[in-house]
Amino acid sequence: MTISRLTQFGCACWLLLAAGLHTACSGPAKPSEPEPPAMTPIPVQCTNLVQNTTETDVDCGGTECERCTVGRKCIRASDCASGQCADNTCQDPSCGNERIDNGESDTDCGGKRCRRCAVDQRCKIDDDCASGVCKDGLCAAPSCDDGLRNGDEQDVDCGAEGCAGCRAGTACTMGGQCASGICTDNLCAVSCVAGSAECDGDLNVECEVTTTSDTQNCGACGVVCALEHAEPACRESACAIVTCEAGYADCNGEPADGCEANLNRDADHCGECGQVCPREHAEPSCVEGICAITCDRGFGDCDRDVTNGCETTIDDNVDHCGGCNRRCNAPAGETAFCSNGVCGHNG
């Protein structure tokens, strides 16, 4: 029967195809399938592997991206796929069932999955507690000697009310948080006693320089005693001269310019401080610590005494006419004279 019916159907289709009615041979129409719902596109900022301003963690949380998984950052419960946000971290759903389970140390707190426990809640280890201190099986309040930075402390066991002040370089908002009592640019500053300073920036050893005697930091950091032609020293926070190089002296009494006088060439300090070479009708000089002079025109050093300069005129001096010891002579009955350094006579 089945074969007969198929044969009849095949023959009928053949006749219809021959007549150009091929659609009739396609069999009964299939019901149409419903179209899938349109997919909501994921915003680009939710897939860029960067935590943008609206997200609470990378590519999750906030109002535009998918909810964050357990362990990632959150601000509110709606940021988390679990619907549990505590300590700004998405929690396991079991962290809100009001039971002690899933490794918790107290009801819905402690362990690796849930928020940290408050003071006086049960704990097993320090990490179970928000204070970071588990003592005798209970979370303890922060203290100034627990070896941790907790509570209002600025650093480990310092900077909070009742605690010691913090060392230099620690973040601060007021001077009372610092051991020095000085908070500058939100950092605890160094306070050194007079005569010392913090110069190398290594706050592990504060105020390491003695400015009263350090030639590299004399009186203040970076003030170097480098004195010309002198061996320097730092005495009572001021640069001083120990000794001068040979041939030099500190004649002006000012250590800042070192041993400024060249005793071999300085006509004002020739051979020693204050030894001034004569300038009487002469141009002075100092040669190897001994004064020398070059006489002005019309003058000569005829007594060979440098100390009184060029004491003799030679323009109109008949005994030194044009030069020392050049005497003008005249024939008998005439008078010799010297004019402009030249001898003459008249009768």
Side-chain angles (χ1 to χ4, degrees):
M1 179 66 70
T2 302
I3 295 173
S4 174
R5 288 179 179 175
L6 288 174
T7 303
Q8 292 174 1
F9 177 75
C11 292
C13 282
W14 183 87
L15 292 173
L16 290 172
L17 288 172
L21 300 175
H22 61 279
T23 55
C25 296
S26 58
K30 294 181 180 180
S32 60
E33 295 182 1
E35 294 184 1
M39 298 293 291
T40 302
I42 299 175
V44 174
Q45 63 268 27
C46 296
T47 59
N48 61 1
L49 302 180
V50 176
Q51 183 178 348
N52 301 306
T53 54
T54 61
E55 300 167 351
T56 59
D57 207 328
V58 176
D59 294 343
C60 74
T63 57
E64 298 179 320
C65 302
E66 294 182 353
R67 294 186 175 191
C68 297
T69 55
V70 171
R72 303 188 75 181
K73 298 176 185 176
C74 60
I75 297 176
R76 58 190 67 84
S78 61
D79 293 325
C80 304
S82 65
Q84 297 284 334
C85 177
D87 295 336
N88 293 117
T89 303
C90 290
Q91 309 290 342
D92 189 280
S94 65
C95 296
N97 62 4
E98 299 184 358
R99 297 179 182 177
I100 301 177
D101 55 12
N102 205 21
E104 299 164 353
S105 60
D106 206 330
T107 303
D108 297 336
C109 72
K112 295 182 177 180
R113 293 173 175 262
C114 301
R115 65 177 176 82
R116 293 187 173 189
C117 296
V119 173
D120 292 333
Q121 287 190 293
R122 284 170 287 187
C123 59
K124 298 176 183 178
I125 58 175
D126 289 339
D127 281 348
D128 289 332
C129 304
S131 66
V133 182
C134 180
K135 188 174 182 180
D136 298 329
L138 293 176
C139 290
S143 67
C144 298
D145 59 359
D146 56 24
L148 298 170
R149 179 186 176 182
N150 47 25
D152 294 329
E153 295 171 353
Q154 299 297 304
D155 207 335
V156 177
D157 294 340
C158 74
E161 184 176 356
C163 297
C166 295
R167 67 187 183 90
T170 302
C172 60
T173 57
M174 61 184 71
Q177 297 166 341
C178 306
S180 65
I182 304 172
C183 180
T184 303
D185 296 331
N186 293 325
L187 289 176
C188 289
V190 174
S191 178
C192 300
V193 299
S196 66
E198 171 57 46
C199 294
D200 64 2
D202 182 0
L203 299 181
N204 291 315
V205 181
E206 296 180 5
C207 306
E208 79 287 348
V209 169
T210 302
T211 56
T212 55
S213 59
D214 191 331
T215 56
Q216 300 302 304
N217 303 279
C218 190
C221 293
V223 178
V224 180
C225 294
L227 308 180
E228 290 290 329
H229 308 296
E231 179 185 342
C234 180
R235 295 171 180 161
E236 298 181 359
S237 301
C239 292
I241 295 172
V242 178
T243 58
C244 291
E245 293 179 13
Y248 290 87
D250 176 25
C251 294
N252 64 4
E254 297 178 3
D257 60 2
C259 299
E260 83 291 342
N262 186 334
L263 301 181
N264 291 321
R265 302 180 63 180
D266 191 336
D268 289 326
H269 306 285
C270 191
E272 61 183 70
C273 288
Q275 181 65 52
V276 180
C277 294
R279 288 168 168 77
E280 194 70 26
H281 306 299
E283 179 69 27
S285 61
C286 182
V287 180
E288 298 299 324
I290 299 174
C291 284
I293 54 177
T294 300
C295 292
D296 295 342
R297 184 180 180 282
F299 292 88
D301 178 23
C302 296
D303 64 359
R304 302 295 180 89
D305 183 359
V306 172
T307 60
N308 62 1
C310 299
E311 80 293 340
T312 303
T313 61
I314 58 174
D315 277 348
D316 55 3
N317 191 331
V318 294
D319 290 323
H320 306 283
C321 188
C324 291
N325 302 314
R326 294 181 180 177
R327 182 177 179 78
C328 295
N329 297 309
E334 295 188 9
T335 302
F337 65 85
C338 179
S339 176
N340 292 325
V342 178
C343 288
H345 56 87
N346 50 34

